[in-house]
Amino acid sequence: MATGQKLMRAIRVFEFGGPEVLKLQSDVAVPIPKDHQVLIKVQACGVNPVDTYIRSGTHNIKPPLPYTPGFDVAGIIEAVGESVSAFKKGDRVFTTRTISGGYAEYALAADHTVYTLPEKLDFKQGAAIGIPYFTAYRALLHSARVKPGESVLVHGASGGVGIAACQIARAYGLKVLGTASTEEGQKIVLENGAHKVFNHKEANYIDKIKKSVGEKGVDVIIEMLANVNLSKDLNLLSHGGRVIVVGSRGPIEISPRDTMIKESSIKGVTLFSSTKEEFQQFAAALQAGMEIGWLRPVIGPQYSLEKATQAHENIIHSSGATGKMILLLK
């Protein structure tokens, strides 16, 4: 290691596996930004389900080992590469991706994945924007092509992506229904854009949704757990309705006839299929949401860097999400 190189604390993964492979190290070299890169002093980092899939080695993104997890950081620009003109040291920013990983005191990111964080949002909220809001926007506007006046059911609405989807759908003039399994979760969903909320732990909640929407059915379903809900979703759809699969943790059996009768469609979405131009479009819409005030992330469980293993355990196994899970670094 070069003498005089600044060191930092960071989570490192040396082998794919369970949460226990997350190792906190205090002698990791602080990266140096080149060309179109910026170095961010991280204040907070979002924890997303995708982080756990990558860590376990089951995702199609397989970073070379060892690596530091984390896409969504919020913090202050510490240094910029020689080709960066949009940012300077001291700017408040958030990211949709990092180069060096976000579970660290400093993170390197390409300048086109970095966005200004308005003063009205704190760093915790900044760390809750990236994957949740950009994914929800892509799912609703790009994949489902929602139109004002349509109905949308956010199946699993009290987590990071779910709350983002409710806020965006309401801002774009949709009739918004959400599901959550706890009283607190249901309250959060109603406070963040949903017209109605249902408890997906209740045996008859599908009947309640059907009664609420009437014979027409639901135009769009944003699905967070397709391996549990997809078959039910197909029965809830309107003619020409579409299910957008944002999350799934295993296989499920469905009857394809359910799609034939209603000429409905099932479409998967992954944020990282977006082009640079699409990211810029999503960012423009979301920046407007921040300025106007409808984009307001709800923060859920908060963990220190030392507790990253616990965070990974809980994001998968705790039932009843209530807001966005984040790591705090300050």
Side-chain angles (χ1 to χ4, degrees):
M1 193 176 290
T3 15
Q5 173 102 51
K6 203 172 166 189
L7 300 179
M8 66 175 180
R9 293 158 69 241
I11 296 289
R12 302 291 279 161
V13 174
F14 292 89
E15 59 178 326
F16 296 116
E20 70 282 354
V21 302
L22 300 173
K23 305 293 184 193
L24 179 59
Q25 298 204 306
S26 53
D27 59 351
V28 180
V30 173
I32 295 162
K34 304 188 188 83
D35 303 330
H36 286 280
Q37 298 173 348
V38 302
L39 181 68
I40 300 162
K41 183 170 174 40
V42 180
Q43 303 292 307
C45 180
V47 179
N48 293 290
V50 70
D51 299 348
T52 71
Y53 308 148
I54 294 168
R55 182 216 69 226
S56 67
T58 57
H59 197 273
N60 59 352
I61 296 175
K62 284 199 174 61
L65 298 167
Y67 80 97
T68 294
F71 294 96
D72 302 342
V73 306
I76 299 159
I77 298 274
E78 179 76 10
V80 300
E82 55 272 22
S83 307
V84 174
S85 56
F87 299 103
K88 64 184 186 308
K89 184 177 164 73
D91 286 351
R92 300 170 85 250
V93 294
F94 71 92
T95 67
T96 50
R97 200 156 194 170
T98 64
I99 295 166
S100 62
Y103 294 15
E105 291 177 318
Y106 292 89
L108 198 63
D111 60 358
H112 67 88
T113 65
V114 177
Y115 308 89
T116 300
L117 180 66
E119 289 293 338
K120 62 167 77 169
L121 296 180
D122 63 27
F123 290 116
K124 295 178 193 177
Q125 291 174 303
I129 298 169
I131 285 180
Y133 280 85
F134 282 72
T135 299
Y137 191 91
R138 182 173 178 84
L140 285 162
L141 280 297
H142 180 273
S143 303
R145 301 186 184 278
V146 294
K147 299 180 189 74
E150 285 191 314
S151 58
V152 60
L153 169 66
V154 182
H155 219 156
S158 62
V161 179
I163 290 168
C166 288
Q167 291 178 357
I168 294 166
R170 185 65 179 257
Y172 278 78
L174 280 88
K175 182 185 179 189
V176 186
L177 312 174
T179 75
S181 63
T182 66
E183 206 171 302
E184 189 190 352
Q186 289 166 44
K187 184 170 174 278
I188 286 171
V189 172
L190 285 173
E191 286 168 352
N192 286 282
H195 293 89
K196 288 187 179 169
V197 68
F198 303 87
N199 183 347
H200 54 233
K201 287 279 166 77
E202 285 180 7
N204 64 338
Y205 84 98
I206 293 291
D207 295 332
K208 287 185 177 178
I209 295 172
K210 280 182 176 172
K211 194 176 175 186
S212 170
V213 295
E215 274 180 38
K216 182 179 185 291
V218 182
D219 297 310
V220 173
I221 297 176
I222 304 297
E223 183 51 68
M224 309 301 167
L225 199 59
N227 56 298
V228 172
N229 298 321
L230 189 56
S231 185
K232 293 179 256 190
D233 290 342
L234 295 177
N235 286 303
L236 281 171
L237 286 178
S238 62
H239 189 87
R242 46 267 189 229
V243 178
I244 309 299
V245 178
V246 171
S248 185
R249 295 181 187 166
I252 184 173
E253 192 172 304
I254 63 164
S255 169
R257 187 174 289 279
D258 292 338
T259 65
M260 294 159 58
I261 298 159
K262 295 178 178 175
E263 296 193 316
S264 57
S265 59
I266 303 164
K267 193 170 186 181
V269 66
T270 178
L271 178 59
F272 297 121
S273 294
S274 310
T275 63
K276 203 185 279 193
E277 291 68 35
E278 285 167 350
F279 265 107
Q280 286 167 350
Q281 289 165 20
F282 305 164
L286 295 172
Q287 292 276 12
M290 292 178 223
E291 289 161 20
I292 296 161
W294 58 252
L295 191 161
R296 44 181 198 284
V298 176
I299 304 307
Q302 302 172 38
Y303 298 85
S304 64
L305 205 52
E306 290 81 0
K307 296 281 197 299
T309 301
Q310 193 63 53
H312 271 223
E313 193 73 49
N314 292 352
I315 199 166
I316 297 300
H317 298 297
S318 288
S319 61
T322 47
K324 181 76 184 79
M325 183 181 286
I326 57 163
L327 293 178
L328 284 176
L329 282 112
K330 51 181 181 168

